[in-house]
Amino acid sequence: MSDGTRDDAIAIVGMAGRFPGAPGTAELWRLLVEGREAVREFSAEELRAAGVPQERSAAANYVTRGAALEDADLFDAAFFGYTQRDAKLMDPQHRVFLTCAWEALEDAGTPPGAEYGPIGVFAGSSLSSYLLANVLRSGEFADAALTYPVLLGNDKDFLATRVSYKLDLRGPSMSVQTACSSSLTAVQLACAALTRGEIKAALAGGVSITFPQTAGYAHQEGGIMSRDGHCRPFDADASGTVKGNGCGVVVLKRLQDALDEGDRVYAVVRGIAVNNDGSDKIGFTAPGTAGQQAVVRAAVAAAGIDPADIGYVEAHGTGTAVGDPLEISSLAAAHAAVGGPAPDCLIGSVKANLGHLDAAAGVTGLIKAALALHHQTVPPQINHARPNAHLNWDKLPYTVSTEAVRFTDAPLKAAAVSAFGLGGTNAHAVLTVPPAPAAPAPAEDGVRHPVVISARTVDALRRLAADLARRISDGPDVPELADLAYTLTAGRALLPVRHGFTAATLDEARAELEALAAGAAADATPLTWQGPARRKVTLPGQPLDPQRYWIEPDAPRAAEPAEAAVPAGRETPAADARSVLDRVILIVAQRLDVPELEADADFYDMGGDSLLAVEVVTALAEEFSVDLDFDEFAALRTPEQMAARIHEALTGGEDPQRGLLALREGEGRALHLVHPAGGTNVVYAGLVEHSGSRVPLRALSFPVQDPPATLRELAALYLERVRREQPSGPYRLGGYSFGGNVALEMALQLQAAGEEVETLVLLDSYPPETYVGRHLTDEEFAEAFPLLLDAVGESRLDLAELRDKSFFRIWKHNYDLLKGHYPDRPFRGDMVLLRADEVGGTLDLDTALRMNLVDKSLWQAHVTGAVTEEKVFGDHFSMFEPGERITRLAEAFDSAVAPFDAADAAGDR
């Protein structure tokens, strides 16, 4: 159409939200234009209230910052027809979203209900942390996880449908879950439904509020969370993002319908696209260049505008080392392919101001871009001092402005918004300024216009009247009486308590409203708008009375004295040497199943083996609450030696090199090897025996007490041990199987800290793609475990015995770490992979463990340098068998570490 109202053009006619530091969209705009940051430091009181121990918050890597949403616990239950019990049980995310949906329709001048026509709801939310942290930890609901009241109040499935039910909306209603791109994907689904004519209007958006909000977080090098508690998109000091909490909702209509109804149009969605990366990237959680480029090109093509009109891009912009350069390079490539954007196109990210709003991030970026077009102003980009050198700004068509840019001479014609979800769902929208609305007919003097207001209670009606009277007082933005009357009568819900009157002037209307506010009786005479559509104007919304509805989790039970914590029938081990020895003898004898055991009896001579050793070490560590690793146990073969080590730990003695096993001494920098799954380093003994290299070797031992919950945390713990021995690089790292994956993560964390890492040495480790997919349950892992025991030559145990064994729990723990981890960046260097040349012997096990049978050449995707493969005899396990196999493995290992030998010989240490 010549007037720009194409059939598939979608108008943004209303918006509402709750954001950190901004209770509404008007306040959000002021925050952005003034360049303020809502991310803040949490007080000691807030951290304590969030359940963060002081010793944890005082740790060097703990960041006590975030973007909390004020009053997230408040809700007007009576207005929306909820009992106090149901309101308390409902996830605050659902409460906030329902409230914002109501407010967005008010802002749009679109009354909810069946009479207007079908209105759809498309929305996404984050996981209900309120359910996990509050409801299920309370005495009342601790055992109610699967009851209908709990599920209905907290499950994501009911976010959108709750709005449709409470506001009587008859269009399609669906929850949309694509992680960080959820809310912009919801907008795309809403636009498609409007274009198809299924609905007359749509609510689209998202909400993300994580409880407790003021807990902060532990920074992990190489993770996505910021080191300093600031999100710095596109900046040289960017180190990640910060968690924000908030909600955003927009109201959408077909543009022609919006113009016909006199709606105020903030901006027009000309083109919007959604796709997924598929497998064309290095991992499930990694961003995909091809997918991001494709979604931008698709959105621009759908928009049908000149790409050179795009003068602002609201980027995903998380401030991560990998994400920002990839996003900007992908955006530039896409724009180059289609002929855009405008010269000196501005680019920014609202995450610097508010943190990452997760499921609400995309719609928040959309609101910012729409307001930029509406106000013809691009807010300043905060937390940006020095451009990220990896972005090659001199070759890019984008500019980051740290000052607000106001378009006064030439207009800002178009803007774009990106949102990329973890898992690969990408969304991109292209917006334009709306066409100028037709001027309404001049108001005739003396014509009396109907003014109707309503509320749920008399008190609320009087407050609304007072708010409206102030709105039409003298000022720069006072609406015309006809527009005021049209907005109230045609654009607002009719609630039970009502007042109607007619007025010929604003002064007359103001006097009537002031009288009502002061206590005059309400007149419920029904009045309706009879004339042609006028312009809808911004007016005060329904006064709400939010109250606190909250379920407090039960306070954690205070720790009892140590002597009271001992299980019945078990004495507290005394710290004296004789008592320790007696208890150690009893534990070892029980595991060996012998009636008596001498203090100097050799564990292995008495029938012990490596798997039984794991059981003994675990039992001793739990009994005495000391850190005793498996590799240390190899040197403590008798109960007497074990007891001496434990007594030393109980009385304060501690080896500064705990957790490091010296496999081979030598001169030069040591090569640190990480154990395979199962936690022991016994496989390295034969390798060292046959190796002719002189490189010092250390092995990292698995922590029996309180093992870390993620592979990144385990790698960080091992780095602490390594750096106690070797404070600075270059570092040498490697490992067998699971150990190689941990070694890679250690290398990434070292590089993120600015340290140098030499060539990685991996012994038949599987690339991360092997472990993508769901975890096995304990039952499923137990069924697969006998195959693993057969593979390592330990098949003496029955299936029924397995799950009670420590070595089973440790192996499952290590397996779960692999299944839950994917590197977030490639290693900047080379890798040597000693690759088993037989695979048939482990196929059944790999299948049972749900390992993807990918080629080990995929390691190249995780390394920027070369991956050198050396074939060794045997399969994943038999390559360590005595004879020719271990000899050939040692030869290949010596070849891999030969550059280390040469560097040490040259004095390059």
Side-chain angles (χ1 to χ4, degrees), residues 255-263 486 533-534:
L255 178 57
Q256 188 60 60
D257 289 347
L259 296 176
D260 291 345
E261 295 173 25
D263 292 339
Y486 175 65
R534 299 283 304 184

Side-chain angles (χ1 to χ4, degrees), residues 147 248 317 337 507 613 757 818 881 888 895:
T147 63
D507 288 341
V757 182
L818 287 171
E881 289 180 356
R888 296 292 296 271
S895 176

Side-chain angles (χ1 to χ4, degrees), residues 45-274:
E45 292 76 14
E46 289 176 310
L47 291 165
R48 280 197 299 272
V52 182
Q54 194 278 332
E55 60 271 18
R56 184 182 178 201
S57 63
N61 71 325
Y62 203 82
V63 181
T64 55
R65 291 178 61 82
L69 181 66
E70 296 297 324
D71 299 331
D73 55 345
L74 305 184
F75 179 58
D76 192 339
F79 180 81
F80 291 105
Y82 282 101
T83 65
Q84 293 190 17
R85 183 179 186 275
D86 286 345
K88 287 172 58 178
L89 195 55
M90 192 190 309
D91 185 348
Q93 293 185 115
H94 293 221
R95 304 183 214 156
V96 170
F97 186 81
L98 174 59
T99 304
C100 289
W102 170 269
E103 293 171 345
L105 287 172
E106 284 190 313
D107 185 61
T110 300
E115 290 185 5
Y116 176 80
I119 298 176
V121 183
F122 305 82
S125 65
S126 295
L127 176 73
S128 179
S129 56
Y130 180 71
L131 172 68
L132 302 177
N134 293 64
V135 177
L136 297 183
R137 289 178 54 200
S138 68
E140 183 178 1
F141 296 102
D143 299 318
L146 297 180
T147 63
Y148 270 113
V150 172
L151 287 175
L152 291 174
N154 292 272
D155 195 272
K156 293 178 178 182
D157 284 1
F158 309 112
L159 175 73
T161 52
R162 171 173 284 108
V163 173
S164 297
Y165 173 69
K166 284 297 179 180
L167 304 188
D168 192 20
L169 309 180
R170 306 300 178 91
S173 186
M174 60 186 71
S175 295
V176 181
Q177 300 302 148
T178 62
C180 322
S181 60
S182 293
S183 53
L184 197 56
T185 300
V187 171
Q188 190 268 349
L189 291 172
C191 290
L194 284 162
T195 301
R196 292 191 298 266
E198 296 174 357
I199 51 178
K200 193 173 179 183
L203 285 160
V207 60
S208 177
I209 313 173
T210 301
F211 299 100
Q213 294 193 76
T214 61
Y217 59 91
H219 169 72
Q220 298 175 355
E221 288 298 331
I224 66 169
M225 301 304 289
S226 166
R227 183 185 302 110
D228 61 1
H230 296 278
C231 183
R232 305 178 184 276
F234 327 123
D235 189 74
D237 293 326
S239 61
T241 193
V242 181
K243 179 68 178 81
N245 298 276
C247 175
V249 184
V250 294
V251 179
L252 306 170
K253 294 182 183 179
R254 288 179 291 274
L255 178 57
Q256 188 60 60
D257 289 347
L259 296 176
D260 291 345
E261 295 173 25
D263 292 339
R264 178 237 302 104
V265 179
Y266 289 103
V268 179
V269 181
R270 294 287 179 179
I272 185 167
V274 171

Side-chain angles (χ1 to χ4, degrees), residues 501-522:
F501 62 92
T502 61
T505 66
L506 278 177
D507 288 341
E508 187 178 347
R510 186 185 308 110
E512 181 79 19
L513 291 167
E514 288 173 345
L516 179 62

Side-chain angles (χ1 to χ4, degrees), residues 99 102 104 128 182 273 395 412 466 499 551 603 645 674 681 811:
T99 304
W102 170 269
S128 179
S182 293
K395 299 179 181 178
L412 176 61
H499 180 63
I551 294 175
F603 172 77
R645 164 68 187 90
V674 181
N681 286 298
W811 231 313

